[in-house]
Amino acid sequence: YTSELKEYEEKIIYSEQNIIEIENKIFEDLKNYILKFVHKIQYNAQLLAKVDVICSHAKVAKDYNYTKPIFEEGIILELKQSRHPVVEQLIPIDQEFIPNDLYMRQKKKQIAVITGPNMAGKSTFLRQVGHIIILAQMGSFVPSKYCKLSLVDQLFTRVGASDNIAEGESTFLVEMNEAAYILNNATEKSFIILDEIGRGTATFDGLSLAW
């Protein structure tokens, strides 16, 4: 062999290790450089995030005919021609989402019972009310022709029928535990959605839980 070949061989053998060392040094230098401006970067990132959220809400409101919610003291929820923000975008183009009204007040009408056959839209209606409450309170316009509401401190849901057999909890027990949690933690300003409460057991047991 020649000395030139031997030197070239060593370069090839150690090249991967050298590459890793160089990359690590560049990465460390970059991190140290960024750290000098981390407060400015985070401040700008927060501003951009706010602009992004506001612009997204504005575009959705304009494109899909949302309206500005009205907040009122007390406990009230009044919706006229409200729609589900997701379902109305997913239905076939030849079909139209049928809007719904809702009127609730603390002293006059605390509870609304929604009944109807399968696939009539009961769960969709319940969920769209929850969506509208959240959207309104996060500063967005809402998918409704008219919306008046008061502040909601918590939104509770009891949806579906699932069990936890591994922990010895039947469907009905899971349902009772979740209902008990809601009752123990809800305040007068909470909004509660119960979708088919009592479905995990016999008729009269389910009715007792619903009552």
Side-chain angles (χ1 to χ4, degrees):
Y1 67 86
T2 64
S3 57
E4 289 86 356
L5 281 175
K6 190 65 177 176
E7 290 175 6
Y8 192 67
E9 179 189 27
E10 290 177 356
K11 286 182 180 179
I12 294 174
I13 292 173
Y14 294 108
S15 62
E16 186 173 349
Q17 180 180 345
N18 292 334
I19 287 172
I20 294 174
E21 290 177 356
I22 293 169
E23 288 179 346
N24 285 335
K25 185 179 184 307
I26 294 172
F27 183 63
E28 289 296 326
D29 292 344
L30 181 61
K31 284 198 301 182
N32 293 330
Y33 178 76
I34 291 174
L35 284 173
K36 298 177 183 177
F37 308 98
V38 66
H39 296 297
K40 292 182 178 180
I41 293 172
Q42 289 178 337
Y43 177 72
N44 288 327
Q46 290 174 354
L47 292 179
L48 289 172
K50 289 179 181 179
V51 171
D52 180 38
V53 170
I54 293 170
C55 289
S56 298
H57 285 174
K59 178 171 173 51
V60 169
K62 183 175 182 296
D63 291 347
Y64 304 129
N65 195 28
Y66 286 12
T67 190
K68 182 180 179 181
I70 301 168
F71 282 91
E72 188 176 282
E73 292 292 332
I75 299 176
I76 181 175
L77 177 61
E78 185 175 353
L79 301 174
K80 293 180 181 177
Q81 297 187 27
S82 64
R83 315 182 308 275
H84 193 295
V86 178
V87 174
E88 72 170 352
Q89 303 303 321
L90 297 178
I91 58 177
I93 195 168
D94 60 335
Q95 297 181 15
E96 187 177 353
F97 188 92
I98 299 174
N100 306 278
D101 298 346
L102 179 65
Y103 179 79
M104 300 181 77
R105 283 184 179 271
Q106 184 185 33
K107 295 182 179 179
K108 294 182 179 179
K109 191 179 179 184
Q110 282 188 341
I111 298 173
V113 179
I114 315 299
T115 64
N118 289 336
M119 296 300 292
K122 301 184 298 295
S123 296
T124 300
F125 179 62
L126 293 176
R127 286 166 172 79
Q128 83 184 37
V129 174
H131 282 307
I132 288 172
I133 290 173
I134 293 172
L135 285 170
Q137 297 201 156
M138 67 189 290
S140 172
F141 281 27
V142 298
S144 178
K145 188 174 183 180
Y146 176 83
C147 173
K148 181 189 285 187
L149 73 163
S150 54
L151 289 176
V152 174
D153 61 355
Q154 299 175 94
L155 195 151
F156 294 97
T157 62
R158 162 87 275 277
V159 176
S162 60
D163 56 44
N164 187 13
I165 298 300
E167 298 294 331
E169 297 179 348
S170 66
T171 303
F172 184 51
L173 182 56
V174 170
E175 201 167 39
M176 284 197 298
N177 287 337
E178 292 183 0
Y181 177 84
I182 292 172
L183 291 173
N184 287 325
N185 291 278
T187 71
E188 64 175 9
K189 289 186 175 294
S190 300
F191 194 83
I192 303 171
I193 294 174
L194 303 175
D195 196 349
E196 294 189 329
I197 190 74
R199 69 176 293 179
T201 186
T203 301
F204 290 105
D205 297 325
L207 281 173
S208 298
L209 178 59
W211 284 331

